[in-house]
Amino acid sequence: MVRDRHSTFNIQHSTFNIQHSTLTTLLSVVRAGIYEDAGHLSDLPVLTEGEWEALYEESKRQTVSGIALHALTMLPDSKMPPEGVLLRWVARGDRIERSWHGMKRAILTLLPLFEEKGIRPVLQKGHAVGRFYPVPQLRTSGDVDLCFEAGDRRRADSLIAAKGTRIQGASDSSGVYQWHNYEIEHHSRLIELGNPFRGKELRKIIAEPPVRIKIGADCEAYAPAPLAELLMVNVHILKHILGHGIGLRHFCDYALARRALLPVIGEERYAEACRALGIARWTRVLDEFTDYYLCQRPGGDMRRPRRLTRKIFSMVMEGGNFGLHHSGRRKKSGKLKRKVSTLGAFMRNAPLALRLAPAEGFFGILRLSAHLRF
């Protein structure tokens, strides 16, 4: 273990080729961005152009470049990046912001179509979770996820098809299509829990009515009830940890969602729900990850996380967003190849699943195996 002199955090050394100073600086910048707290930048050293380049590239791999850009506005001029790096960073932030507004317009055109037919979609992740950020439009969003009840899902698919838009089936049974140049996904499951024996407990949780939220000043949508929403973000991270991997941005989502929603839910109720769904062990690791690496207050004498949490951190930093930067990994073309690739990832991570959430790992492998068609 190496302790960076500019940070109160111990970062585990792993196989990925990132300097410890870059990691500790990235974490400081991300924390400043998600909590809008310049205190996290008080010990930031004056960086060289090469160090700023490395920081910028790593922020892209973890899809937190918009969050980091917001933090840069809190730096004094003497510590700002060189002009060349800063201009590229600002341009990237502008693309993220324009994409956010474009997705919001797509949502604004879609929701009335459904509501006119009595269909009430619930906005998952993405723009819904973005409301917890100080500057939502700087959170990178990949697509728009809408969840429907079973009957409504079929009607919604038919409605979109009637507009002349082709919906393609994805490996997770969702429907995917392009709307106003943005990818939209229709889902039937709010929380992607793999264990079928927890269905009764899960149905109780998702039975709570959704809440109406604002997305910007001129857009409203439905989001899951607080407990369901926090569990949705939680289980989404677990699903990808047991597969190809997931990036730092999703842990930012969880840290901010937990901060906003846990006072409404209550800590004991949340803990009981995690036990009921069989993810209590995983949630302890997830909470430790966010408390240590994304803590809200800089400094302090925080206990070093256990080895399993440090392993998760190494996986996150090595693989980047959805594990796309793992050495040797190539994006597979064709549905069958992608399924085989995902199954292989679940198999490789089976020992990890045994320590985090055994049932989720087992049923994930079972489901992927059953869906293969040779």
Side-chain angles (χ1 to χ4, degrees):
M1 296 291 293
V2 177
R3 187 177 178 86
D4 190 277
R5 66 187 180 90
H6 299 299
S7 174
T8 59
F9 290 81
N10 287 316
I11 307 298
Q12 185 185 20
H13 188 55
S14 185
T15 56
F16 50 88
N17 187 26
I18 304 168
Q19 294 293 325
H20 283 275
S21 58
T22 301
L23 288 180
T24 54
T25 304
L26 176 68
L27 291 175
S28 296
V29 169
V30 168
R31 290 191 295 265
I34 62 176
Y35 298 121
E36 208 164 31
D37 186 349
H40 290 285
L41 303 173
S42 59
D43 293 330
L44 196 74
V46 176
L47 304 179
T48 66
E49 183 169 357
E51 288 171 328
W52 276 116
E53 286 280 0
L55 187 65
Y56 172 60
E57 291 301 320
E58 187 58 29
S59 76
K60 290 196 299 182
R61 290 173 78 251
Q62 300 293 336
T63 59
V64 294
S65 49
I67 297 167
L69 179 63
H70 181 51
L72 298 188
T73 65
M74 307 174 203
L75 285 175
D77 290 345
S78 61
K79 291 188 175 182
M80 289 292 281
E83 184 177 357
V85 180
L86 184 59
L87 285 175
R88 283 188 286 129
W89 215 321
V90 169
R92 188 170 186 85
D94 180 65
R95 289 195 298 273
I96 292 170
E97 190 166 354
R98 283 189 282 112
S99 177
W100 185 90
H101 284 291
M103 285 188 188
K104 190 184 76 169
R105 287 193 294 272
I107 294 169
L108 272 170
T109 62
L110 267 177
L111 295 185
L113 292 178
F114 296 132
E115 290 172 358
E116 286 173 8
K117 302 295 184 181
I119 302 171
R120 185 181 66 181
V122 173
L123 194 59
Q124 294 180 282
K125 305 183 288 285
H127 272 58
V129 174
R131 75 189 189 277
F132 301 129
Y133 282 76
V135 186
Q137 57 269 34
L138 286 177
R139 177 196 178 273
T140 302
S141 294
D143 53 26
V144 176
D145 293 283
L146 299 174
C147 187
F148 302 84
E149 294 182 1
D152 282 350
R153 164 69 192 280
R154 289 189 292 272
R155 294 169 60 206
D157 287 358
S158 298
L159 182 60
I160 294 302
K163 297 291 180 181
T165 299
R166 182 168 175 255
I167 301 182
Q168 295 181 309
S171 58
D172 61 354
S173 301
S174 62
V176 184
Y177 59 97
Q178 294 290 316
W179 186 266
H180 290 212
N181 297 318
Y182 292 97
E183 187 170 281
I184 313 294
E185 293 189 5
H186 286 186
H187 299 274
S188 300
R189 301 175 67 198
L190 189 63
I191 300 173
E192 297 176 284
L193 198 71
N195 187 350
F197 297 108
R198 303 287 181 166
K200 181 179 179 182
E201 294 86 350
L202 184 60
R203 284 190 293 273
K204 284 182 183 178
I205 291 168
I206 63 177
E208 293 186 50
V211 295
R212 195 76 169 168
I213 63 167
K214 277 190 172 294
I215 305 171
D218 55 351
C219 182
E220 287 192 350
Y222 282 102
L227 178 60
E229 184 163 31
L230 189 55
L231 287 168
M232 176 187 67
V233 178
N234 176 328
V235 173
H236 180 70
I237 296 173
L238 173 61
K239 171 189 169 183
H240 287 287
I241 283 290
L242 298 183
H244 285 298
I246 202 161
L248 190 61
R249 169 173 55 88
H250 294 85
F251 290 89
C252 295
D253 288 351
Y254 181 75
L256 293 179
R258 187 179 63 159
R259 183 180 68 156
L261 298 174
L262 202 56
V264 180
I265 299 165
E267 290 189 17
E268 182 52 43
R269 187 179 177 220
Y270 180 56
E272 176 56 37
C274 291
R275 287 192 292 270
L277 297 182
I279 57 170
R281 193 187 311 172
W282 152 249
T283 302
R284 286 193 293 271
V285 172
L286 176 59
D287 287 344
E288 186 176 61
F289 184 109
T290 51
D291 287 343
Y292 188 81
Y293 296 110
L294 296 173
C295 68
Q296 188 171 354
R297 296 295 171 201
D301 185 20
M302 191 173 295
R303 189 177 67 178
R304 179 185 176 198
R306 68 200 119 172
R307 181 178 297 179
L308 184 56
T309 305
R310 300 197 308 271
K311 177 179 175 60
I312 298 296
F313 178 73
S314 295
M315 291 172 62
V316 169
M317 300 312 298
E318 183 177 5
N321 189 46
F322 292 122
L324 292 174
H325 300 276
H326 275 300
S327 59
R329 183 182 171 192
R330 298 289 184 269
K331 192 172 182 180
K332 307 294 182 182
S333 60
K335 190 181 292 186
L336 177 60
K337 288 184 178 180
R338 290 195 298 270
K339 286 181 179 180
V340 171
S341 175
T342 302
L343 176 59
F346 265 78
M347 295 291 287
R348 287 191 298 273
N349 288 326
L352 179 64
L354 286 173
R355 301 178 66 187
L356 292 175
E360 290 306 299
F362 173 76
F363 285 108
I365 291 171
L366 199 65
R367 175 181 56 82
L368 288 164
S369 301
H371 285 175
L372 289 180
R373 294 290 183 269
F374 295 99

